Structures are given as structure tokens and as C-alpha cells.
Amino acid sequence: MSVERRPLISGNWKMHHNHFEAIRTIQRLAYNLSSADHDAVDVSVHPPFTDLRSIQTVLEADDIPIALGAQHCHWEESGSFTGEVSPTMLAKLNVSLVIVGHSERRQNFGESDEDVNRKVQAVLAQGMTPIVCVGETLEEREAGSTLDRVADQLSRSLTGVNRSQASSLVVAYEPIWAIGTGRTATPEDAQEVCSAIRRQVGEFWDAEAAGGLRIQYGGSVKPVSAPDLMRLQDVDGLLVGGASLDPDEFARIVAYRLVG
Ligand code: PGA
């Protein structure tokens, strides 16, 4: 039985674009995307927290079918956590997707697999979709431990998530050595890891959950590499950093299916 999985292409703006720049960028992106793009692909943008309200207003005022996403959050609903933002606050802004466990959060801000797991559960509890990031370092790849590393991150991230929540999950495979470096995994390597992720989700729950799971590839995706990545059997979307900052370049990635 083959399952229809709608592609999801997400732009992670990281710490770029103040709210004026964000408004200009989203307006230009909306102009660039056609209704055929929206029919074929789900698109989300993940701006810094300070931009969320401005972008929400633009998207809702003009009925633009781009999903609003965040880059991370805390797992508690409220409390004495200086500098943090809660899942409930994000849900209130109609954020529908939250990136969880990005390697930059893990490496630079000490997020553990246990933190990631708490966040996954908190995001799901608010009816939002977590984009759970997993991926190996260059040393792990060279040591041949990529699949073990990714499997370990994934099982720790999904602990306690129940079967009925499985359909709202997205997993992003992002080899750390490919992020922001201009190096992309080969299609063969990306497919190998993404198919292992799907197999693991099948073992964790069942074949239906595995068949419905959306898996993104991330790491230096550009308009020129997007079509080959999106052709892979187990790649259902892309998590795009640098190339999502420019609305013209990002729109060309979303239109990957028109190439070749
Ligand atoms: P990049 O970032 O496309 O700039 O490599 C991807 C990511 O970090 O999600």
C-alpha cells in the first residue's frame, strides 16, 4: 500500500531578519509562490520569535497559505524560565510547526535528547507539529556510526509519544557536517538514513505510522540540489536554512518539481 505524503518545505531563518525585514520577506515569498505551488507542497517559515506576530498578521490578513513555524520553545507552559517561550504562547500565535532539537541548539545551548523529548511532547500537547531534528557529526559519519547515532537520537526523542500522535510528527534528517557548509549529503546517503528512520518508526509503532511519517532532509539545500533530494523515496520535504532567507531562492526550492 503506498501512502500519499504531502511534501513539506520549511525555511529556518535562524537569527536573521528583524520584523521589518521579515514582513518584506514573507510578502515577497507569497508573491513568488503560485497556487500550483501551494496545491503541490506545504510551505512553512520559521522566523525568530520577535517576528512571529508580524508575520502572523500578514499571513492572516492576506489569507496566505504558508504555515507559521517557530525554531524552538521550552517544554513548560509558564514559569520562572528567563528568556524562554512556551508552547502555549506559540499556539496562541497560530504557530503550527516547531523545530525541536536542531543541532545548533544541541551544540551551542546544551540541549540533550531528554530536553528534546520533553519539547516534542509539549509541542504535541498543544496540537502543534514538532519537526524533530536528528543527524550525525562528521566524526560519527567517518567512523561508520551514522545509522546508530540517528537511531539513538530518534528513539530518545520519541519516548512517551503515543501512536495517535505519530501522524503529526515530522522528522528532519540533518547531517551536522552539511549544515551551512555548502556540502550536501549525496542522494544515496540521504536516502539510506531516511529509509532507516522510516523503518525505525515502523518498529516503534506500526507500518501505517511509518508510511505516513514525513521526513525532511536538511543541510545546505539549494535550488539546484532540491529536485534530486525530493526525488528520493523516503525524502518528503526539506529543511532549508541559508537559502530560505532570500524569498526568490526559497521559492525556486519550493518549485523543485518544475525542474528537469
Ligand atoms: P543550511 O541550514 O540550509 O543553511 O545548511 C539548514 C538547517 O540548519 O536547518
Side-chain angles (χ1 to χ4, degrees):
M1 182 186 71
S2 80
V3 190
E4 192 59 39
R5 294 186 293 267
R6 263 182 77 74
L8 171 63
I9 299 194
S10 303
N12 173 11
W13 291 0
K14 307 192 179 181
M15 198 170 71
H16 296 282
H17 291 336
N18 63 41
H19 73 287
F20 292 115
E21 295 161 338
I23 290 170
R24 275 201 299 276
T25 304
I26 200 71
Q27 284 173 331
R28 175 83 191 170
L29 180 62
Y31 173 81
N32 283 340
L33 297 179
S34 65
S35 53
D37 289 326
H38 292 299
D39 286 347
V41 181
D42 289 340
V43 178
S44 68
V45 292
H46 301 250
F49 288 139
T50 50
D51 301 349
L52 285 174
R53 176 67 178 151
S54 307
I55 298 204
Q56 180 205 9
T57 307
V58 173
L59 294 178
E60 291 178 5
D62 292 340
D63 239 339
I64 298 167
I66 295 174
L68 186 56
Q71 299 174 15
H72 98 110
C73 65
H74 198 271
W75 55 83
E76 293 287 348
E77 279 191 29
S78 62
S80 302
F81 301 102
T82 302
E84 291 294 316
V85 167
S86 77
T88 23
M89 293 168 181
L90 296 177
K92 200 78 187 160
L93 290 165
N94 288 347
V95 164
S96 56
L97 297 134
V98 185
I99 298 171
V100 180
H102 190 281
S103 60
E104 287 157 13
R105 301 286 326 163
R106 294 174 187 265
Q107 286 187 327
N108 304 334
F109 301 96
E111 275 188 22
S112 65
D113 288 329
E114 290 65 39
D115 295 339
V116 173
N117 179 248
R118 288 191 194 101
K119 291 176 190 209
V120 167
Q121 300 201 44
V123 167
L124 286 166
Q126 290 305 318
M128 299 183 291
T129 294
I131 298 181
V132 186
C133 299
V134 293
E136 80 287 2
T137 63
L138 188 56
E139 295 71 49
E140 288 163 342
R141 170 152 291 272
E142 285 172 349
S145 52
T146 298
L147 294 181
D148 287 345
R149 178 74 186 113
V150 167
D152 190 48
Q153 284 178 322
L154 193 62
S155 64
R156 287 168 188 267
S157 305
L158 299 186
T159 303
V161 176
N162 63 48
R163 169 66 183 82
S164 66
Q165 295 170 314
S167 55
S168 354
L169 273 181
V170 175
V171 175
Y173 167 54
E174 298 208 297
I176 294 170
W177 48 270
I179 294 176
T181 58
R183 295 181 61 186
T184 317
T186 63
E188 295 70 32
D189 289 344
Q191 170 57 25
E192 183 191 25
V193 180
C194 293
S195 74
I197 290 171
R198 195 176 305 287
R199 235 184 352 264
Q200 187 180 350
V201 164
E203 286 157 15
F204 203 83
W205 288 299
D206 53 39
E208 197 187 332
L213 178 75
R214 294 202 283 184
I215 304 176
Q216 294 180 316
Y217 168 83
S220 296
V221 174
K222 299 282 180 280
V224 65
S225 53
D228 282 345
L229 290 161
M230 287 301 293
R231 258 192 288 276
L232 300 172
Q233 196 188 339
D234 288 298
V235 171
D236 311 303
L238 303 166
L239 182 52
V240 186
S244 72
L245 295 175
D246 175 340
D248 297 347
E249 201 176 7
F250 190 51
R252 283 194 282 138
I253 293 176
V254 173
Y256 69 88
R257 67 196 186 285
L258 305 178
V259 178

mmCIF file of all heavy atoms in Angstrom, residues 10-14 99 102-104 133 172 174-183 217-222 238-245 253, ligand 1:
data_model
loop_
_atom_site.group_PDB
_atom_site.id
_atom_site.type_symbol
_atom_site.label_atom_id
_atom_site.label_comp_id
_atom_site.label_asym_id
_atom_site.label_seq_id
_atom_site.Cartn_x
_atom_site.Cartn_y
_atom_site.Cartn_z
ATOM 1 N N SER A 10 10.376 23.704 4.526
ATOM 2 C CA SER A 10 10.393 24.639 5.649
ATOM 3 C C SER A 10 11.627 25.521 5.583
ATOM 4 O O SER A 10 12.730 25.035 5.327
ATOM 5 C CB SER A 10 10.403 23.857 6.965
ATOM 6 O OG SER A 10 9.293 22.997 7.034
ATOM 7 N N GLY A 11 11.418 26.807 5.843
ATOM 8 C CA GLY A 11 12.538 27.750 5.868
ATOM 9 C C GLY A 11 12.883 28.103 7.308
ATOM 10 O O GLY A 11 12.044 28.662 8.026
ATOM 11 N N ASN A 12 14.094 27.767 7.730
ATOM 12 C CA ASN A 12 14.567 28.084 9.079
ATOM 13 C C ASN A 12 15.436 29.341 8.969
ATOM 14 O O ASN A 12 16.558 29.275 8.494
ATOM 15 C CB ASN A 12 15.377 26.887 9.615
ATOM 16 C CG ASN A 12 16.048 27.181 10.938
ATOM 17 O OD1 ASN A 12 15.765 28.204 11.584
ATOM 18 N ND2 ASN A 12 16.941 26.301 11.353
ATOM 19 N N TRP A 13 14.878 30.451 9.437
ATOM 20 C CA TRP A 13 15.593 31.728 9.265
ATOM 21 C C TRP A 13 16.687 31.939 10.310
ATOM 22 O O TRP A 13 17.445 32.890 10.225
ATOM 23 C CB TRP A 13 14.595 32.902 9.327
ATOM 24 C CG TRP A 13 13.662 32.971 8.162
ATOM 25 C CD1 TRP A 13 13.605 32.120 7.082
ATOM 26 C CD2 TRP A 13 12.635 33.951 7.938
ATOM 27 N NE1 TRP A 13 12.610 32.505 6.217
ATOM 28 C CE2 TRP A 13 11.994 33.631 6.721
ATOM 29 C CE3 TRP A 13 12.183 35.061 8.653
ATOM 30 C CZ2 TRP A 13 10.945 34.385 6.205
ATOM 31 C CZ3 TRP A 13 11.137 35.819 8.137
ATOM 32 C CH2 TRP A 13 10.526 35.486 6.928
ATOM 33 N N LYS A 14 16.711 31.062 11.302
ATOM 34 C CA LYS A 14 17.714 31.184 12.381
ATOM 35 C C LYS A 14 17.676 32.613 12.952
ATOM 36 O O LYS A 14 16.606 33.192 13.050
ATOM 37 C CB LYS A 14 19.092 30.774 11.866
ATOM 38 C CG LYS A 14 19.053 29.385 11.209
ATOM 39 C CD LYS A 14 20.383 28.781 10.929
ATOM 40 C CE LYS A 14 20.177 27.402 10.314
ATOM 41 N NZ LYS A 14 21.410 26.702 10.030
ATOM 42 N N ILE A 99 10.375 23.586 15.246
ATOM 43 C CA ILE A 99 11.613 22.812 15.108
ATOM 44 C C ILE A 99 12.091 22.450 16.514
ATOM 45 O O ILE A 99 12.140 23.309 17.398
ATOM 46 C CB ILE A 99 12.689 23.648 14.372
ATOM 47 C CG1 ILE A 99 12.227 23.993 12.953
ATOM 48 C CG2 ILE A 99 14.026 22.903 14.349
ATOM 49 C CD1 ILE A 99 13.128 25.007 12.238
ATOM 50 N N HIS A 102 17.223 21.137 16.991
ATOM 51 C CA HIS A 102 18.158 21.486 15.919
ATOM 52 C C HIS A 102 19.586 21.334 16.438
ATOM 53 O O HIS A 102 19.863 21.623 17.603
ATOM 54 C CB HIS A 102 17.901 22.931 15.462
ATOM 55 C CG HIS A 102 18.652 23.276 14.219
ATOM 56 N ND1 HIS A 102 19.996 23.596 14.231
ATOM 57 C CD2 HIS A 102 18.265 23.330 12.922
ATOM 58 C CE1 HIS A 102 20.390 23.836 12.989
ATOM 59 N NE2 HIS A 102 19.367 23.681 12.173
ATOM 60 N N SER A 103 20.498 20.917 15.584
ATOM 61 C CA SER A 103 21.866 20.638 16.064
ATOM 62 C C SER A 103 22.530 21.887 16.630
ATOM 63 O O SER A 103 23.373 21.794 17.520
ATOM 64 C CB SER A 103 22.716 20.056 14.940
ATOM 65 O OG SER A 103 22.794 20.971 13.877
ATOM 66 N N GLU A 104 22.129 23.082 16.152
ATOM 67 C CA GLU A 104 22.712 24.303 16.723
ATOM 68 C C GLU A 104 22.241 24.503 18.168
ATOM 69 O O GLU A 104 22.972 25.016 19.005
ATOM 70 C CB GLU A 104 22.368 25.518 15.845
ATOM 71 C CG GLU A 104 23.166 25.492 14.551
ATOM 72 C CD GLU A 104 22.559 26.279 13.400
ATOM 73 O OE1 GLU A 104 21.628 27.071 13.617
ATOM 74 O OE2 GLU A 104 23.031 26.072 12.266
ATOM 75 N N CYS A 133 14.720 17.157 14.843
ATOM 76 C CA CYS A 133 15.967 17.097 14.063
ATOM 77 C C CYS A 133 16.917 16.045 14.625
ATOM 78 O O CYS A 133 17.159 15.990 15.830
ATOM 79 C CB CYS A 133 16.678 18.447 14.092
ATOM 80 S SG CYS A 133 15.711 19.776 13.373
ATOM 81 N N ALA A 172 13.346 15.558 10.744
ATOM 82 C CA ALA A 172 14.291 16.151 9.782
ATOM 83 C C ALA A 172 15.650 15.494 9.975
ATOM 84 O O ALA A 172 16.205 15.529 11.076
ATOM 85 C CB ALA A 172 14.397 17.654 10.005
ATOM 86 N N GLU A 174 19.293 15.896 9.384
ATOM 87 C CA GLU A 174 20.235 16.959 9.048
ATOM 88 C C GLU A 174 21.646 16.547 9.460
ATOM 89 O O GLU A 174 22.020 16.687 10.634
ATOM 90 C CB GLU A 174 19.875 18.245 9.796
ATOM 91 C CG GLU A 174 18.516 18.797 9.444
ATOM 92 C CD GLU A 174 18.476 20.311 9.640
ATOM 93 O OE1 GLU A 174 18.638 20.774 10.774
ATOM 94 O OE2 GLU A 174 18.303 21.017 8.648
ATOM 95 N N PRO A 175 22.443 16.022 8.516
ATOM 96 C CA PRO A 175 23.827 15.705 8.871
ATOM 97 C C PRO A 175 24.538 16.993 9.289
ATOM 98 O O PRO A 175 24.499 17.987 8.560
ATOM 99 C CB PRO A 175 24.416 15.137 7.579
ATOM 100 C CG PRO A 175 23.426 15.364 6.501
ATOM 101 C CD PRO A 175 22.130 15.774 7.105
ATOM 102 N N ILE A 176 25.130 16.994 10.472
ATOM 103 C CA ILE A 176 25.652 18.246 11.033
ATOM 104 C C ILE A 176 26.734 18.844 10.147
ATOM 105 O O ILE A 176 26.822 20.059 9.986
ATOM 106 C CB ILE A 176 26.160 17.994 12.472
ATOM 107 C CG1 ILE A 176 24.959 17.623 13.354
ATOM 108 C CG2 ILE A 176 26.872 19.219 13.037
ATOM 109 C CD1 ILE A 176 25.323 17.122 14.721
ATOM 110 N N TRP A 177 27.514 17.979 9.523
ATOM 111 C CA TRP A 177 28.610 18.447 8.665
ATOM 112 C C TRP A 177 28.095 19.101 7.383
ATOM 113 O O TRP A 177 28.869 19.730 6.651
ATOM 114 C CB TRP A 177 29.553 17.282 8.334
ATOM 115 C CG TRP A 177 28.820 16.052 7.879
ATOM 116 C CD1 TRP A 177 28.364 15.037 8.665
ATOM 117 C CD2 TRP A 177 28.408 15.736 6.551
ATOM 118 N NE1 TRP A 177 27.680 14.113 7.921
ATOM 119 C CE2 TRP A 177 27.709 14.515 6.611
ATOM 120 C CE3 TRP A 177 28.569 16.364 5.308
ATOM 121 C CZ2 TRP A 177 27.169 13.914 5.486
ATOM 122 C CZ3 TRP A 177 28.034 15.763 4.185
ATOM 123 C CH2 TRP A 177 27.335 14.547 4.284
ATOM 124 N N ALA A 178 26.809 18.975 7.099
ATOM 125 C CA ALA A 178 26.254 19.566 5.869
ATOM 126 C C ALA A 178 25.565 20.900 6.142
ATOM 127 O O ALA A 178 25.208 21.624 5.208
ATOM 128 C CB ALA A 178 25.258 18.593 5.227
ATOM 129 N N ILE A 179 25.398 21.258 7.427
ATOM 130 C CA ILE A 179 24.630 22.462 7.743
ATOM 131 C C ILE A 179 25.487 23.710 7.583
ATOM 132 O O ILE A 179 26.526 23.851 8.247
ATOM 133 C CB ILE A 179 24.063 22.386 9.181
ATOM 134 C CG1 ILE A 179 23.036 21.252 9.268
ATOM 135 C CG2 ILE A 179 23.436 23.712 9.585
ATOM 136 C CD1 ILE A 179 22.484 21.028 10.651
ATOM 137 N N GLY A 180 25.074 24.570 6.676
ATOM 138 C CA GLY A 180 25.762 25.847 6.482
ATOM 139 C C GLY A 180 27.160 25.714 5.909
ATOM 140 O O GLY A 180 27.934 26.669 5.915
ATOM 141 N N THR A 181 27.509 24.539 5.416
ATOM 142 C CA THR A 181 28.879 24.317 4.928
ATOM 143 C C THR A 181 28.977 24.294 3.412
ATOM 144 O O THR A 181 30.073 24.271 2.867
ATOM 145 C CB THR A 181 29.404 22.948 5.423
ATOM 146 O OG1 THR A 181 28.505 21.944 4.942
ATOM 147 C CG2 THR A 181 29.484 22.897 6.934
ATOM 148 N N GLY A 182 27.828 24.250 2.745
ATOM 149 C CA GLY A 182 27.847 24.114 1.293
ATOM 150 C C GLY A 182 27.995 22.660 0.864
ATOM 151 O O GLY A 182 27.927 22.337 -0.313
ATOM 152 N N ARG A 183 28.175 21.751 1.810
ATOM 153 C CA ARG A 183 28.260 20.320 1.472
ATOM 154 C C ARG A 183 26.893 19.688 1.678
ATOM 155 O O ARG A 183 26.258 19.893 2.716
ATOM 156 C CB ARG A 183 29.248 19.600 2.393
ATOM 157 C CG ARG A 183 30.668 20.048 2.229
ATOM 158 C CD ARG A 183 31.572 19.266 3.176
ATOM 159 N NE ARG A 183 31.541 17.844 2.914
ATOM 160 C CZ ARG A 183 32.152 16.931 3.683
ATOM 161 N NH1 ARG A 183 32.801 17.320 4.762
ATOM 162 N NH2 ARG A 183 32.103 15.649 3.373
ATOM 163 N N TYR A 217 14.889 16.351 4.565
ATOM 164 C CA TYR A 217 16.357 16.396 4.563
ATOM 165 C C TYR A 217 16.758 17.862 4.757
ATOM 166 O O TYR A 217 16.108 18.774 4.210
ATOM 167 C CB TYR A 217 16.943 15.878 3.229
ATOM 168 C CG TYR A 217 18.412 16.222 3.159
ATOM 169 C CD1 TYR A 217 19.361 15.413 3.786
ATOM 170 C CD2 TYR A 217 18.847 17.405 2.550
ATOM 171 C CE1 TYR A 217 20.702 15.779 3.807
ATOM 172 C CE2 TYR A 217 20.178 17.773 2.566
ATOM 173 C CZ TYR A 217 21.097 16.947 3.200
ATOM 174 O OH TYR A 217 22.417 17.331 3.234
ATOM 175 N N GLY A 218 17.808 18.105 5.533
ATOM 176 C CA GLY A 218 18.321 19.463 5.686
ATOM 177 C C GLY A 218 19.833 19.466 5.688
ATOM 178 O O GLY A 218 20.475 18.501 6.128
ATOM 179 N N GLY A 219 20.393 20.554 5.190
ATOM 180 C CA GLY A 219 21.852 20.709 5.147
ATOM 181 C C GLY A 219 22.276 21.237 3.793
ATOM 182 O O GLY A 219 22.390 20.477 2.844
ATOM 183 N N SER A 220 22.438 22.582 3.719
ATOM 184 C CA SER A 220 22.927 23.245 2.512
ATOM 185 C C SER A 220 22.063 22.979 1.276
ATOM 186 O O SER A 220 22.575 22.875 0.164
ATOM 187 C CB SER A 220 24.380 22.855 2.216
ATOM 188 O OG SER A 220 25.228 23.321 3.255
ATOM 189 N N VAL A 221 20.746 22.856 1.481
ATOM 190 C CA VAL A 221 19.856 22.661 0.325
ATOM 191 C C VAL A 221 19.806 23.952 -0.492
ATOM 192 O O VAL A 221 19.680 25.053 0.062
ATOM 193 C CB VAL A 221 18.433 22.279 0.780
ATOM 194 C CG1 VAL A 221 17.483 22.226 -0.412
ATOM 195 C CG2 VAL A 221 18.444 20.952 1.527
ATOM 196 N N LYS A 222 19.904 23.816 -1.804
ATOM 197 C CA LYS A 222 19.857 24.955 -2.728
ATOM 198 C C LYS A 222 18.873 24.604 -3.851
ATOM 199 O O LYS A 222 18.530 23.423 -4.023
ATOM 200 C CB LYS A 222 21.244 25.189 -3.346
ATOM 201 C CG LYS A 222 22.353 25.521 -2.331
ATOM 202 C CD LYS A 222 22.272 26.970 -1.871
ATOM 203 C CE LYS A 222 23.349 27.337 -0.863
ATOM 204 N NZ LYS A 222 23.085 26.931 0.510
ATOM 205 N N LEU A 238 12.043 19.320 2.806
ATOM 206 C CA LEU A 238 13.372 19.906 3.002
ATOM 207 C C LEU A 238 13.305 20.908 4.145
ATOM 208 O O LEU A 238 12.309 21.632 4.285
ATOM 209 C CB LEU A 238 13.812 20.616 1.709
ATOM 210 C CG LEU A 238 13.838 19.726 0.451
ATOM 211 C CD1 LEU A 238 13.950 20.593 -0.811
ATOM 212 C CD2 LEU A 238 14.989 18.724 0.511
ATOM 213 N N LEU A 239 14.366 20.943 4.939
ATOM 214 C CA LEU A 239 14.507 21.978 5.967
ATOM 215 C C LEU A 239 15.673 22.846 5.502
ATOM 216 O O LEU A 239 16.810 22.381 5.420
ATOM 217 C CB LEU A 239 14.770 21.339 7.333
ATOM 218 C CG LEU A 239 14.889 22.270 8.536
ATOM 219 C CD1 LEU A 239 13.715 23.231 8.644
ATOM 220 C CD2 LEU A 239 15.002 21.463 9.838
ATOM 221 N N VAL A 240 15.343 24.091 5.167
ATOM 222 C CA VAL A 240 16.291 24.943 4.456
ATOM 223 C C VAL A 240 16.702 26.104 5.345
ATOM 224 O O VAL A 240 15.851 26.832 5.860
ATOM 225 C CB VAL A 240 15.627 25.496 3.170
ATOM 226 C CG1 VAL A 240 16.635 26.277 2.340
ATOM 227 C CG2 VAL A 240 15.012 24.368 2.349
ATOM 228 N N GLY A 241 17.997 26.299 5.523
ATOM 229 C CA GLY A 241 18.485 27.419 6.320
ATOM 230 C C GLY A 241 18.827 28.596 5.424
ATOM 231 O O GLY A 241 17.949 29.356 4.990
ATOM 232 N N GLY A 242 20.098 28.739 5.114
ATOM 233 C CA GLY A 242 20.603 29.897 4.375
ATOM 234 C C GLY A 242 19.781 30.268 3.145
ATOM 235 O O GLY A 242 19.459 31.448 2.935
ATOM 236 N N ALA A 243 19.416 29.275 2.347
ATOM 237 C CA ALA A 243 18.713 29.569 1.094
ATOM 238 C C ALA A 243 17.260 29.990 1.320
ATOM 239 O O ALA A 243 16.583 30.409 0.377
ATOM 240 C CB ALA A 243 18.772 28.364 0.158
ATOM 241 N N SER A 244 16.769 29.914 2.557
ATOM 242 C CA SER A 244 15.388 30.349 2.787
ATOM 243 C C SER A 244 15.308 31.840 3.123
ATOM 244 O O SER A 244 14.211 32.399 3.191
ATOM 245 C CB SER A 244 14.743 29.538 3.920
ATOM 246 O OG SER A 244 15.276 29.905 5.181
ATOM 247 N N LEU A 245 16.456 32.474 3.336
ATOM 248 C CA LEU A 245 16.443 33.899 3.707
ATOM 249 C C LEU A 245 16.088 34.777 2.525
ATOM 250 O O LEU A 245 15.578 35.887 2.694
ATOM 251 C CB LEU A 245 17.821 34.304 4.248
ATOM 252 C CG LEU A 245 18.215 33.615 5.558
ATOM 253 C CD1 LEU A 245 19.637 33.983 5.939
ATOM 254 C CD2 LEU A 245 17.245 33.999 6.666
ATOM 255 N N ILE A 253 13.267 26.724 -4.655
ATOM 256 C CA ILE A 253 13.330 25.404 -3.996
ATOM 257 C C ILE A 253 11.924 24.798 -3.906
ATOM 258 O O ILE A 253 11.726 23.620 -4.224
ATOM 259 C CB ILE A 253 13.984 25.536 -2.602
ATOM 260 C CG1 ILE A 253 15.463 25.910 -2.775
ATOM 261 C CG2 ILE A 253 13.816 24.246 -1.801
ATOM 262 C CD1 ILE A 253 16.207 26.161 -1.480
HETATM 263 P P1 PGA B 1 21.511 25.359 5.838
HETATM 264 O O1 PGA B 1 20.792 25.103 7.244
HETATM 265 O O2 PGA B 1 20.499 25.120 4.770
HETATM 266 O O3 PGA B 1 21.987 26.780 5.892
HETATM 267 O O4 PGA B 1 22.640 24.357 5.765
HETATM 268 C C1 PGA B 1 19.903 24.030 7.416
HETATM 269 C C2 PGA B 1 19.426 23.972 8.826
HETATM 270 O O5 PGA B 1 20.209 24.265 9.747
HETATM 271 O O6 PGA B 1 18.250 23.637 9.095
#
